[in-house]
């Protein structure tokens, strides 16, 4: 039997006083910790004040300090006004401008010329109307994952910042979602500390820990029991969840309203398993077959969840060298008649394999449902990349925008120049027809119209390096191509002095655009 600590039992009279004193000490301690630590979180959203040097100069200084820039740097800054459009969503949006109409300028980073630095160019960007993250009601969801304290604390709380993006509406307000975090053998003070930090950020969280060493898979199995117990407690308080998301610690959900829209097709009263693999790497592809274990994101209905702890497949010893998602799927397939469905995200087995293997999934123009291993596979930091949705809505994240002169912005990810030409074509299905999904799974694809991007020759890529929000709500993005990048160094001051180059996009909030 897996041992995990549940909700604390009432202490006996004898130790009650001791516990009381301990709680006070812990409280003061975590209060201090959570204050200093949440301040760290906010430094990222540092104000770009209205007084003093122009905001562009402050932003340049931030980039110089945080990331370092070559003494001379090429710089192109744009102000962006979003125009909400009612027309149908498209896989790529054409912009009525040439990127080259705002040529890169040479900036001496130590002593920049202000006219060179300040964005002179305004760009109108059509965005598909969609709710802002803060407008989403996620109270149907309970999300749960298990990881270690150290991983949560890594990179200045990167994980917490990511969770804040999709488990709150910003400004420390919850969005209704409930979160269960099971730590790996953490002492009580770490559990308390994280619990405080998450609550302070507006996440409705229950944090607990495993108490003995065990495999990740076993920790996840233990977590299912915890979720079941906890949802019983929630139900008593009248909070009924419809969907239990069991997630890897490297999952980011960029658009809960899109997820809701996809889940709306199912009856949450049924006993149902849904796997949400993100991209091709979340599938096992063999000779003529494909399959997936859900890619670290599995959604269960309440009745499916309550079945699981009683199943005979999670006994000691059997589960140790399997992933939790494959263990879960195999078990359900073997011991239940449960309906098991897969909602493909960036990759679907009917896709043309050549194209899918060769193209970065985040640049395919497919509406993102789940991001998985964003860091390892794409060097993407979700909380930074997703910040722009505070201005342009969740529909604009990873949306492709094409300039007239063959530059393409993938919002929150890259800006790419295709100097030798590019074109768009409809996505053909693989046509070979012999690739069938094995196992108990049924595929439910979203019928979106996609367009493939083809290019010839080489391409130059600027990657998102930084994004912050100003006091007025504008979101600043910096896309950078390093001097040291292997592909064509397009910016040189002299033969041996190659420069970094930076594209700054300032996404204006509707309010500040009017002023
Ligand atoms: C950049 O500036 C620093 C400090 O002024 C100087 O030491 C360094 O040589 C410069 N680098 C180049 C490539 O000119
Ligand atoms: C996100 O969800 C909203 C609401 O369902 C939708 O309008 C929008 O198009 C979605 N964005 C993407 C990129 O799918």
């Amino acid at each position: 039997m897996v041992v995990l600590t549940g909700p604390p039992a009432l202490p006996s009279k004898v130790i009650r006083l001791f516990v009381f004193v301990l709680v006070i000490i812990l409280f003061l301690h975590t209060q201090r910790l959570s204050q200093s630590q949440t301040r760290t979180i906010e430094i990222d959203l540092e104000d770009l004040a209205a007084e003093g040097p122009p905001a562009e100069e402050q932003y340049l200084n931030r980039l110089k300090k945080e990331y370092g820039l070559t003494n001379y740097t090429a710089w192109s800054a744009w102000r962006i006004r979003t125009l909400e459009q009612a027309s149908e969503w498209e896989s790529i949006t054409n912009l009525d401008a040439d990127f080259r109409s705002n040529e890169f300028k040479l900036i001496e980073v130590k002593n920049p010329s202000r006219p060179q630095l300040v964005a002179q160019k305004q760009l109108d960007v059509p965005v598909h109307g969609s709710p802002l993250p803060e407008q989403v009601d996620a109270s149907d969801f309970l999300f749960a994952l298990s990881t270690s304290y150290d991983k949560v604390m890594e990179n200045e709380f990167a994980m917490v910042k990511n969770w804040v993006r999709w488990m709150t509406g910003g400004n420390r307000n919850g969005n209704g979602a409930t979160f269960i975090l099971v730590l790996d053998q953490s002492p009580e003070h770490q559990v308390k500390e994280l619990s405080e930090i998450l609550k302070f950020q507006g996440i409705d969280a229950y944090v607990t820990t495993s108490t003995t060493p065990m495999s990740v898979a076993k920790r996840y199995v233990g977590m299912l029991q915890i979720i079941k117990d906890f949802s019983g407690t929630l139900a008593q308080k009248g909070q009924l969840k419809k969907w239990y998301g069991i997630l890897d610690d490297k999952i980011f959900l960029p658009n809960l309203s899109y997820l809701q829209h996809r889940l709306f097709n199912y009856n949450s009263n049924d006993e149902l398993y849904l796997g949400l693999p993100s991209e091709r790497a979340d599938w096992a592809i063999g000779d003529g077959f494909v399959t997936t274990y859900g890619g670290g994101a599995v959604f269960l209905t309440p009745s499916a969840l309550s079945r699981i702890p009683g199943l005979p497949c999670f006994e000691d010893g059997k589960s140790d060298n399997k992933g939790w998602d494959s263990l879960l799927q195999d078990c359900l397939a073997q011991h239940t008649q449960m309906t098991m469905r897969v909602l493909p995200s960036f990759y679907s087995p009917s896709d043309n394999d050549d194209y899918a293997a060769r193209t970065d999934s985040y640049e395919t123009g497919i509406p993102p449902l789940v991001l998985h291993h964003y860091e390892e596979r794409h060097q993407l930091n979700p909380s930074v990349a997703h910040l722009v949705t505070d201005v342009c809505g969740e529909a604009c994240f990873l949306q492709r925008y094409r300039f007239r002169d063959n530059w393409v912005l993938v919002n929150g990810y890259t800006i790419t120049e295709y100097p030798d030409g590019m074109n768009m074509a409809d996505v053909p299905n693989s046509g070979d027809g012999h690739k069938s999904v094995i196992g108990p799974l049924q595929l439910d694809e979203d019928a979106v119209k996609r367009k493939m991007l083809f290019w010839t020759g080489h391409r130059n890529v600027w990657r998102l390096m930084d994004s912050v929000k100003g006091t007025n709500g504008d979101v600043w993005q910096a896309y950078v191509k390093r001097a040291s990048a292997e592909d064509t160094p397009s910016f040189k001051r002299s033969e041996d002095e190659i420069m970094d180059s930076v594209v700054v996009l300032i996404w204006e909030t509707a309010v500040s655009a009017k002023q």
Side-chain angles (χ1 to χ4, degrees), residues 44-49 387 468-476 509:
D44 266 17
L45 311 179
E46 202 171 308
D47 296 344
L48 293 163
L387 188 60
V468 293
K469 195 191 266 192
T471 24
N472 61 359
D474 290 356
V475 171
W476 292 59
T509 53

Side-chain angles (χ1 to χ4, degrees), residues 256-327:
L256 286 191
S257 37
Y258 181 44
L259 178 64
Q260 271 167 339
H261 163 79
R262 297 288 299 274
L263 296 182
F264 195 70
N265 297 323
Y266 305 94
N267 186 344
S268 59
N269 294 321
D270 294 346
E271 216 173 74
L272 190 62
Y273 162 106
L274 299 174
L276 275 68
S278 169
E279 55 203 305
R280 199 172 183 272
D282 294 327
W283 293 77
I285 304 180
D287 203 9
F289 75 91
V290 295
T291 194
T292 179
Y293 288 115
V298 170
F299 283 75
L300 300 168
T301 55
S303 54
L305 173 79
S306 58
R307 277 289 292 282
I308 293 170
L311 296 173
C313 26
F314 303 120
E315 269 126 41
D316 284 354
K318 285 194 200 165
S319 56
D320 281 7
N321 39 29
K322 259 186 170 180
W324 65 265
D325 48 3
S326 59
L327 180 74

Side-chain angles (χ1 to χ4, degrees), residues 69-72 110 493 496-498:
L69 289 171
T70 49
N71 292 357
Y72 285 90
K110 231 173 14 180
R493 262 185 87 223
D496 49 0
E497 195 184 340
I498 306 164

Side-chain angles (χ1 to χ4, degrees), residues 9-16 19:
L10 262 187
S12 83
K13 251 184 182 177
V14 187
I15 59 170
R16 204 171 283 169
V19 170

Side-chain angles (χ1 to χ4, degrees), residues 89 128-131 255 257-258 261 367-368 394-397:
W89 174 85
H128 187 69
S130 64
N255 190 343
S257 37
Y258 181 44
H261 163 79
E394 292 186 320
C396 77
F397 179 54

